[in-house]
Amino acid sequence: MTPEIRAVLQIAGIGFLVAFLHTALRQSGKEEFAQWMTLVGFVTVFMIVLSYVDRLYGEIQRVFLIQ
Amino acid sequence: MHILQMVGFGLVATVIATVLRPHAPQFAIMVTMVAGTILLLMVMSYMSKVISPLQDLANTAQLNQGFISTVLKIIGIAYIVEFAAQLARDAQEGALATKIELAGKVGIVILALPIVMSVMNAILHLLP
């Protein structure tokens, strides 16, 4: 389980969890709560992705001498 | 160069993204983005192995250091712009993709301008 594949599986897991919780909550009538839960899930995943993109930007600046 | 490892990682990420798409499309895009970023990170670590011999060659040939760093910058810009534009196209944002590419093109033209100018001056000096 290399760190790269762990990141992808982590995000996929959160995505599935949020998707199924969303439908489950909608069935049980808590429509608005489901919307908020999906939003929070998306924001956390986006933070994880942004940390990788930030690392990529640093690497590109270092390798290609872009200031 | 673990090419098999990288290709396998890309395939796994593609499968995961397609499985995730019907349930949560926004998370599928996130999976594609993080997989693309990680693949580029893997490639970038090998890229510096390619670039350092080139720079040594340039130094031995007493080339102007400015030209080499400009060429490297242009390659870097091309890499990241192509990555972002293709990602935008995957998310069905064609208009955004073309705008990103436009920004990259303008950046490259600005970087290439001094080199073109110096070539022009060199040619003008040659003429009688």
Side-chain angles (χ1 to χ4, degrees):
Chain A
M1 178 61 88
T2 60
E4 294 88 8
I5 202 71
R6 182 178 298 124
V8 171
L9 289 178
Q10 203 179 4
I11 287 174
I14 295 178
F16 273 119
L17 197 68
V18 166
F20 292 145
L21 274 177
H22 186 83
T23 45
L25 283 170
R26 210 170 328 132
Q27 250 73 35
S28 69
K30 293 194 179 62
E31 178 64 36
E32 197 226 341
F33 181 69
Q35 306 284 9
W36 280 111
M37 191 268 304
T38 311
L39 187 65
V40 165
F42 181 75
V43 166
T44 45
V45 163
F46 198 39
M47 296 305 287
I48 297 172
V49 169
L50 279 186
S51 68
Y52 280 95
V53 173
D54 175 55
R55 234 171 73 194
L56 175 71
Y57 272 29
E59 193 73 20
I60 283 193
Q61 276 174 347
R62 185 182 60 79
V63 168
F64 291 108
L65 316 173
I66 299 170
Q67 90 291 359
Chain B
M1 177 80 179
H2 321 288
I3 189 69
L4 294 180
Q5 185 194 353
M6 287 192 213
V7 170
F9 172 76
L11 286 176
V12 167
T14 321
V15 167
I16 290 179
T18 36
V19 168
L20 197 56
R21 197 170 300 284
H23 302 287
Q26 67 269 29
F27 286 99
I29 293 297
M30 286 294 120
V31 165
T32 341
M33 193 185 280
V34 83
T37 314
I38 290 175
L39 268 171
L40 260 184
L41 272 172
M42 286 192 209
V43 167
M44 222 42 79
S45 55
Y46 294 109
M47 181 64 75
S48 42
K49 290 202 185 82
V50 170
I51 285 173
S52 39
L54 283 179
Q55 269 171 336
D56 303 342
L57 271 176
N59 294 345
T60 48
Q62 273 87 33
L63 272 179
N64 179 345
Q65 189 51 31
F67 292 159
I68 295 299
S69 69
T70 314
V71 169
L72 277 180
K73 280 190 193 132
I74 289 178
I75 294 173
I77 290 179
Y79 248 108
I80 199 67
V81 160
E82 195 275 334
F83 169 71
Q86 198 51 44
L87 205 70
R89 254 184 219 102
D90 273 3
Q92 273 90 40
E93 296 287 344
L96 214 56
T98 41
K99 295 301 168 292
I100 295 172
E101 276 164 0
L102 177 68
K105 285 182 190 131
V106 168
I108 287 177
V109 164
I110 287 174
L111 273 175
L113 219 52
I115 297 185
V116 173
M117 286 308 155
S118 60
V119 167
M120 286 304 158
N121 292 341
I123 292 172
L124 285 181
H125 287 315
L126 288 179
L127 296 181

